Amino acid sequence: MKRWTRPSHPEVSLEAGTTGPMGHLALGLLLAAMTAPQDEPLRPQFHFTAQSGWLNDPNGLVFFKGEYHLFFQHNPFGTQWGNMTWGHAVSKDLFHWQQVENAIAPDSLGTIFSGSAVVDPRGRAITCIYTAAGGTNEASKNEPFTQCIATSTDGRKFTKFASNPVLGHLAGENRDPKVIWHEPTKSYVMALYLEGDRYALFRSDRLTAWIKLCDVMMPGTSECPDFFPLKVEGGKGTKWVFSGANGRYRVGTFDGRQFKPETDPLPSNFGNTGYAAQTYFNDPKGRRVQIAWLNNSNFPDCAWNQQMGVPTELKLVATPQGPRLSILPVEEIKTLRLKRAELADGVYSPNNGLLDIAVRFKAPSAGSLVLDVNGHEVTFDASTSKLRIGDREALLEKRDGGFDLRVVADRASIEVFAQGGLVTMPMFLLPTGKTGLRVKSDFKLETIEVYPLKSARGSKSM
Ligand code: FRU
């Protein structure tokens, strides 16, 4: 069943369209005032959450006038999906977020589904490209799903284009436009989800009219495309990556007209959460920075619901099988690190449960390593070469003669990045009541580094 046909939470749902953005803000502030920022026991401390209400996909990731912008699928009126609006937060370092006024509210073309954002070459304006989900609110009855734009010169107030939509209905519930700048052809390129496992690419000079380039098939995935080039580390040249919402991606070539995949869709995520990931349109450090929604993060009895994943840097690295995505937390996470912890008999017990752990070991022939992180076991079994957390597992292939695990823990998640980020296992896990790290290993670890982290939440942030 499609999510947008599901009725919203009965106690909290209001009909979208009955109030303007100021109404959203007033209600949001009221709900926020009812929740103390620091002391809510389930509130993630360095993963972005909306101050109040529901959140899903990250949208419009863009760096503009000194700030990282994170727009997000938001229900300002309730803790379940509905009334889709672009919520908005800004940050200077990808960790300390300040939520600002909602950016784009529903209208007579529909509620506001996922999309992306670009900055013009002179850095004067942000343009958001989003799906108007016709038929999902009273005001847009009988309208189809179309693609629309809205712009802002100050990064706060957004004005919808008077002649929306810029791309009419094509198929099914076509949605989730991801727009990039393609320098060789000096044009914008849009990846769009059509229906089933079908996507397409389009091009445009000015974002207001689009010409179709080609279809892209993504068996095993749907929704929320991303499309970007990356230099192959340890290999030759640059390749293009096309991904779908569940993280499956194809590596291939793009000449400005055709995307030619050279792989089947490859899995990148083996955890119980992580969906609709998007990368930044631009980054002052020239990186490919990604944020995912940690879907299924249901926080019971909170004024807010769901969380984003830790921001990551993507690379394409040469492997014996060909270029593959490596996904690792961005370096800014180091600014949250406190003094490196000393383990006493393999035990470290901080009281806040926020941890950044890195472990390396040579390929052992038998036995297992168990990292008990906040009461959850992260296990590597040498006889099967499998990494396991709860009911999830992934096969790790030896790299450089051994294995490496990076484990990032917050109040309600453990994200594991293994083998230089070639395997990721993000997990939504509610607190157990236990915090800290207990290490049990049948073999010698080459290194283990444990950093307690400080909260990124302050009176003004998140
Ligand atoms: C993915 C998705 C998108 C859609 C949005 C609606 O989670 O279903 O395809 O635009 O969420 O909130």
Side-chain angles (χ1 to χ4, degrees):
M1 187 183 180
K2 291 184 189 79
R3 187 153 2 98
W4 44 94
T5 58
R6 201 193 293 158
S8 304
H9 200 274
E11 295 104 286
V12 288
S13 166
L14 290 181
E15 184 54 57
T18 56
T19 175
M22 288 316 290
H24 293 198
L25 183 68
L27 192 72
L29 289 177
L30 182 71
L31 286 172
M34 287 155 53
T35 56
Q38 299 260 28
D39 315 323
E40 305 160 82
L42 297 182
R43 179 77 85 171
Q45 296 297 299
F46 59 92
H47 286 77
F48 179 76
T49 50
Q51 194 56 44
S52 64
W54 165 274
L55 151 169
N56 57 291
D57 315 353
N59 295 151
L61 302 184
V62 79
F63 185 84
F64 180 67
K65 294 190 175 160
E67 293 176 322
Y68 288 97
H69 290 256
L70 166 60
F71 302 88
F72 54 94
Q73 288 287 282
H74 186 37
N75 182 358
F77 304 124
T79 55
Q80 301 300 313
W81 186 89
N83 304 311
M84 281 297 112
T85 297
W86 275 30
H88 188 193
V90 293
S91 171
K92 291 211 184 305
D93 64 2
L94 295 161
F95 282 93
H96 296 83
W97 293 100
Q98 186 191 353
Q99 192 173 340
V100 294
E101 190 174 330
N102 291 333
I104 314 178
D107 58 30
S108 60
L109 291 177
T111 63
I112 314 300
F113 274 22
S114 285
S116 51
V118 300
V119 177
D120 66 285
R122 293 196 200 152
R124 287 183 303 197
I126 300 181
T127 300
C128 301
I129 308 96
Y130 61 89
T131 299
T136 55
N137 59 347
E138 217 17 66
S140 70
K141 240 184 193 163
N142 304 322
E143 292 287 343
F145 278 33
T146 57
Q147 317 314 319
C148 297
I149 60 176
T151 55
S152 169
T153 50
D154 68 356
R156 292 294 187 274
K157 292 253 176 276
F158 289 80
T159 308
K160 288 172 184 155
F161 180 51
S163 306
N164 274 334
V166 294
L167 180 59
H169 177 257
L170 299 168
E173 280 150 347
N174 49 193
R175 60 187 180 277
D176 309 337
K178 167 68 187 207
V179 178
I180 58 166
W181 175 250
H182 187 250
E183 185 57 33
T185 55
K186 301 253 183 288
S187 56
Y188 290 103
V189 173
M190 177 198 292
L192 186 71
Y193 173 60
L194 297 180
E195 62 183 340
D197 52 12
R198 212 150 61 81
Y199 295 75
L201 293 177
F202 302 81
R203 71 170 291 276
S204 171
D205 303 331
R206 276 160 299 156
L207 301 164
T208 49
W210 295 88
I211 297 163
K212 187 167 171 187
L213 295 173
C214 64
D215 282 310
V216 179
M217 301 307 292
M218 292 288 290
T221 185
S222 62
E223 306 185 315
C224 303
D226 203 347
F227 186 50
F228 49 84
L230 279 173
K231 182 163 78 53
V232 182
E233 313 264 331
K236 275 201 220 107
T238 292
K239 293 281 181 195
W240 284 75
V241 173
F242 195 107
S243 61
N246 66 4
R248 287 186 176 259
Y249 67 98
R250 301 186 86 159
V251 181
T253 58
F254 180 59
D255 60 2
R257 280 177 312 200
Q258 297 283 320
F259 171 66
K260 293 212 176 89
E262 295 170 346
T263 68
D264 287 334
L266 304 162
S268 63
N269 176 346
F270 296 84
N272 71 1
T273 185
Y275 196 74
Q278 289 286 294
T279 60
Y280 272 84
F281 173 75
N282 54 345
D283 174 59
K285 298 181 183 172
R287 302 166 297 180
R288 179 70 34 195
V289 175
Q290 186 184 64
I291 297 181
W293 165 37
L294 296 188
N295 61 324
N296 305 319
S297 296
N298 278 306
F299 290 92
D301 303 323
C302 297
W304 45 276
N305 200 1
Q306 309 291 307
Q307 62 185 328
M308 294 302 179
V310 76
T312 51
E313 178 175 357
L314 269 50
K315 289 187 175 164
L316 258 187
V317 298
T319 75
Q321 292 79 35
R324 295 290 181 268
L325 271 187
S326 121
I327 305 177
L328 285 168
V330 290
E331 63 181 8
E332 285 85 344
I333 194 172
K334 292 187 181 158
T335 63
L336 299 179
R337 285 179 174 176
L338 298 165
K339 194 167 159 285
R340 184 172 164 183
E342 301 289 339
L343 297 190
D345 289 331
V347 177
Y348 174 65
S349 333
N351 57 17
N352 70 2
L354 313 181
L355 291 165
D356 184 357
I357 304 162
V359 185
R360 293 190 145 274
F361 47 97
K362 288 255 180 290
S365 49
S368 63
L369 163 69
V370 181
L371 303 175
D372 176 324
V373 183
N374 296 337
H376 301 288
E377 290 195 343
V378 177
T379 305
F380 175 76
D381 181 345
S383 59
T384 57
S385 210
K386 279 188 178 162
L387 173 71
R388 202 175 55 246
I389 312 175
D391 62 352
R392 301 293 151 142
E393 57 176 35
L395 184 68
L396 302 189
E397 312 244 1
K398 194 165 62 177
R399 261 190 111 219
D400 303 329
F403 297 92
D404 59 87
L405 304 177
R406 179 83 180 273
V407 182
V408 173
D410 198 342
R411 290 229 177 119
S413 63
I414 295 181
E415 287 157 284
V416 181
F417 306 85
Q419 303 310 79
L422 291 173
V423 171
T424 70
M425 202 183 268
M427 300 292 290
F428 168 65
L429 298 162
L430 283 169
T432 59
K434 282 199 241 164
T435 58
L437 172 68
R438 282 154 208 84
V439 184
K440 279 186 283 164
S441 185
D442 295 327
F443 39 82
K444 192 170 164 330
L445 303 179
E446 266 182 277
T447 58
I448 175 159
E449 288 176 63
V450 181
Y451 291 94
L453 299 176
K454 57 189 174 199
S455 171
R457 294 181 64 79
S459 52
K460 276 203 161 163
S461 66
M462 294 203 291

